[in-house]
Amino acid sequence: MTENDPALRYTLEAVRSFRDGEIATAPRRELNDMARQIAQQYRGDGLSSNMVSGLLRIAEFLLLCAVGLGIRAVYVGKGPWLAWEYPAVIVSGSLLAVAFLNIAEAYQFRILSRPLQNIARLGLAWIAALGALATMGFLLKWSEDFSRVWFGSWFLGGFTAILLVRIIVSHFVKRWVRNGVIERRAVIVGGGPAAEMLIRSIEAQPYNDIRICGIFDDRDDRRSPAIVAGYPKLGNINELLEFARIAHIDMLIVSLPLTAESRVLTLLKKLWILPVDIRLSAHTHNLHFRPRSYSFIGQVPMLDIFDKPINDWDSVAKRIFDIVFSLFGILLFSPIMIATAIAIKLDSKGPILFRQKRHGFNNEEIEVLKFRSMFSEQCDPTAKQAVTKNDPRVTRVGRFIRKTSIDELPQFFNALFGSLSLVGPRPHAISAQSHDTLFYEVVDGYFARHRVKPGVTGWAQISGWRGEIDSSDKIRMRTEYDLDYIENWSIWFDLKILFLTPIRLLRSENAY
């Protein structure tokens, strides 16, 4: 079978297009004691190797700038040592160094763990960076304005600094890997000889940051033994969904032959709703793919099926976005929030705020804040009975604040403290229903909208899908817009949604 084989091409296209067809939604299953105990061990977040390499890029850039400026201050006495020419060249050279080190794959985990064995790689990248800088200076005819002593000293000092920081980082990286601080947590899907070969191949990779947490397989113990390569089989695929809601898993590796098309598709239809990377092991396949078709764990090839949305540095950028704009929103709307609190207190008895359990990231339960808009004795924390037009449970103040979405303003505090994001799929109440049917029973793949944090506002809300859900089509369309947002997320998309929200919501006729 080759990459152009029609059957293979159909399989790869099918596993990436679940949104357009029927998607199985597995019921929640109780874990056995061993699986639950292991899941509890991985509740906390680890530090990914991508985050470490990103921080090292920043650190090396700043270090090279500091070395260049320090040598300039010591060896070049003529003129102000912070004259713009030298800092500009130093910053340019440091950026080039980071770029060439990246091209040389010097930020890969295996290279970070072995700096002395890769000294030639580091040296060539630094030479290439300063060589490019010198060539640019020669062509632009400003190289004669710079001290040769300074340039040569920066060359030696910069390389020494890179090597020393790499030696220090490698020491910490090895210790953090041993202690589980840096790790990518993986679950193997599928058992038997194929899974054993995969596990042995992964464990044979030097300086490996993969931590295998267990194995899940629908087959019985005759076809899939209870212990594979020293790892226990923790349950079936439905139990894996529950396991991944407790443990913070980074990757699912499906260890099945690609030729088992029907079984692969059945598994992936269940697994894609999880906020994890999903890889199909290719270590036993006699396929002839181009190198770029694969990702690798060491030398073990994988086919990328789904990627975790908003991961690593994207999640850092989104968190900074949430903190900055949440603080801004709290300051901007504080007079409105104070006035609303007073109006609620004067209008009816009861607390100012209403707290409701809703689905959060990875289907976890979170508590969402709102201004109370109903009579306190008639509030419905479960949201089993949706609010309708002229609903007698809603107070006079409540009608106004619900229509204008002022009741949602306390959720800026949810976003500030991290249970919500400012922009994302709107969180629904745990027992939210449409015609006495729970939302996840109406929409196949409903829980896929929880692969990212829910938001104070969202793409569906500004696109007209806001307010009462009185038909199955409305929850289907909301879910469709939520999945579209997840697939196309960017900071610019968040900004667009955030700034369009007050305009679109004021025109809404569906909020009661």
Side-chain angles (χ1 to χ4, degrees):
M1 184 181 289
T2 67
E3 187 177 8
N4 295 319
D5 187 279
L8 174 61
R9 191 166 57 249
Y10 167 79
T11 300
L12 293 177
E13 290 173 355
V15 299
R16 292 183 173 92
S17 60
F18 294 137
R19 289 179 50 197
D20 302 322
E22 289 191 13
I23 300 169
T25 302
R28 298 190 69 159
R29 296 285 295 272
E30 284 298 321
L31 296 174
N32 60 62
D33 290 340
M34 180 172 62
R36 184 166 295 278
Q37 183 178 358
I38 292 174
Q40 292 291 345
Q41 294 176 4
Y42 297 110
R43 285 191 70 90
D45 287 320
L47 182 62
S48 75
S49 55
N50 287 336
M51 294 293 288
V52 172
S53 63
L55 291 170
L56 182 59
R57 286 177 174 89
I58 296 171
E60 286 187 334
F61 167 74
L62 295 175
L63 179 63
L64 290 172
C65 287
V67 171
L69 290 172
I71 294 172
R72 159 67 173 158
V74 172
Y75 286 101
V76 183
K78 184 179 178 181
W81 74 278
L82 275 178
W84 72 268
E85 295 92 343
Y86 273 88
V89 168
I90 290 168
V91 169
S92 300
S94 301
L95 287 172
L96 283 171
V98 172
F100 277 105
L101 285 167
N102 193 64
I103 292 170
E105 299 184 343
Y107 294 104
Q108 295 292 325
F109 192 73
R110 69 182 191 279
I111 307 300
L112 294 182
S113 303
R114 307 172 66 192
L116 295 179
Q117 290 85 344
N118 290 279
I119 192 170
R121 184 191 300 263
L122 301 176
L124 287 173
W126 180 231
I127 290 170
L130 291 194
L133 191 66
T135 301
M136 192 185 307
F138 173 78
L139 294 174
L140 296 177
K141 297 183 179 180
W142 44 252
S143 58
E144 64 233 20
D145 298 331
F146 292 86
S147 165
R148 271 59 172 175
V149 173
W150 167 79
F151 194 79
S153 300
W154 189 35
F155 171 76
L156 295 175
F159 180 69
T160 302
I162 291 173
L163 189 57
L164 286 176
V165 78
R166 294 273 174 148
I167 292 171
I168 295 170
V169 167
S170 70
H171 169 74
F172 282 102
V173 162
K174 291 174 184 176
R175 189 168 73 178
W176 289 340
V177 169
R178 285 195 303 269
N179 297 338
V181 176
I182 297 178
E183 60 183 12
R184 284 184 291 168
R185 298 167 184 168
V187 164
I188 307 297
V189 181
E196 181 174 3
M197 187 181 301
L198 171 64
I199 292 170
R200 301 293 187 201
S201 299
I202 291 174
E203 290 182 336
Q205 304 303 311
Y207 308 106
N208 191 3
D209 65 333
I210 295 291
R211 182 180 295 271
I212 298 173
C213 301
I215 298 169
F216 288 82
D217 196 353
D218 280 334
R219 296 175 295 178
D220 59 31
D221 289 347
R222 290 174 299 175
R223 300 180 60 198
S224 175
I227 302 291
V228 178
Y231 293 92
K233 186 170 72 173
L234 300 178
N236 59 32
I237 303 307
N238 288 341
E239 289 164 334
L240 168 57
L241 300 179
E242 181 63 20
F243 181 89
R245 289 177 182 132
I246 299 173
H248 286 191
I249 300 300
D250 299 303
M251 183 185 304
L252 301 181
I253 305 176
V254 179
S255 178
L256 293 174
L258 196 56
T259 50
E261 180 182 302
S262 150
R263 190 162 171 235
V264 170
L265 288 176
T266 299
L267 287 175
L268 294 175
K269 284 178 181 179
K270 294 181 179 181
L271 298 176
W272 83 289
I273 65 174
L274 295 174
V276 298
D277 295 331
I278 299 181
R279 303 290 181 254
L280 184 60
S281 170
H283 73 293
T284 60
H285 299 162
N286 296 318
L287 302 177
H288 303 288
F289 283 5
R290 300 183 184 94
R292 67 173 179 268
S293 301
Y294 297 109
S295 62
F296 289 87
I297 297 175
Q299 300 299 317
V300 181
M302 303 281 169
L303 290 172
D304 296 351
I305 304 300
F306 294 109
D307 289 325
K308 180 179 180 179
I310 316 182
N311 199 15
D312 291 334
W313 286 102
D314 284 343
S315 64
V316 174
K318 189 167 176 63
R319 184 67 187 125
I320 293 172
F321 178 95
D322 288 341
I323 292 172
V324 170
F325 282 96
S326 294
L327 288 172
F328 178 76
I330 290 169
L331 292 173
L332 178 65
F333 294 110
S334 56
I336 297 176
M337 287 194 277
I338 293 170
T340 302
I342 295 171
I344 291 171
K345 204 64 181 174
L346 294 174
D347 185 50
S348 61
K349 295 179 180 180
I352 293 169
L353 294 177
F354 173 64
R355 301 171 186 270
Q356 188 177 58
K357 296 289 186 182
R358 299 193 177 190
H359 284 301
F361 172 70
N362 200 19
N363 221 33
E364 295 176 351
E365 289 188 8
I366 59 173
E367 188 174 71
V368 171
L369 301 174
K370 298 180 69 174
F371 281 123
R372 181 174 59 83
S373 58
M374 295 184 181
F375 294 102
S376 57
E377 65 276 8
Q378 294 179 300
C379 286
D380 180 16
T382 64
K384 287 184 178 180
Q385 183 180 351
V387 177
T388 58
K389 191 172 185 179
N390 299 320
D391 196 312
R393 297 174 298 165
V394 179
T395 65
R396 290 175 300 172
V397 171
R399 295 189 195 285
F400 176 75
I401 63 176
R402 291 179 70 91
K403 181 69 176 178
T404 56
S405 291
I406 290 174
D407 64 325
E408 309 282 0
L409 291 181
Q411 290 170 29
F412 277 114
F413 291 97
N414 283 111
L416 180 63
F417 295 119
S419 58
L420 292 182
S421 181
L422 270 182
V423 182
R426 285 290 294 146
H428 294 152
I430 302 298
S431 301
Q433 298 180 355
S434 174
H435 296 300
D436 297 325
T437 305
L438 294 170
F439 285 171
Y440 71 83
E441 295 173 338
V442 175
V443 182
D444 288 330
Y446 170 81
F447 288 122
R449 65 194 299 278
H450 301 153
R451 288 183 295 162
V452 300
K453 278 185 184 180
V456 177
T457 184
W459 182 225
Q461 280 61 46
I462 70 163
S463 300
W465 299 101
R466 173 179 177 252
E468 181 184 5
I469 299 177
D470 52 7
S471 70
S472 297
D473 285 340
K474 287 186 177 180
I475 185 57
R476 288 193 184 97
M477 289 306 299
R478 284 193 183 189
T479 303
E480 183 69 22
Y481 273 86
D482 291 337
L483 297 181
D484 182 64
Y485 165 79
I486 292 171
E487 286 193 2
N488 296 288
W489 174 85
S490 70
I491 288 293
W492 296 113
F493 197 12
D494 275 3
L495 278 170
K496 173 184 175 180
I497 293 171
L498 193 62
F499 286 115
L500 283 176
T501 293
I503 300 171
R504 298 289 175 83
L505 295 192
L506 286 174
R507 298 176 182 173
S508 174
E509 298 178 358
N510 302 318
Y512 309 129

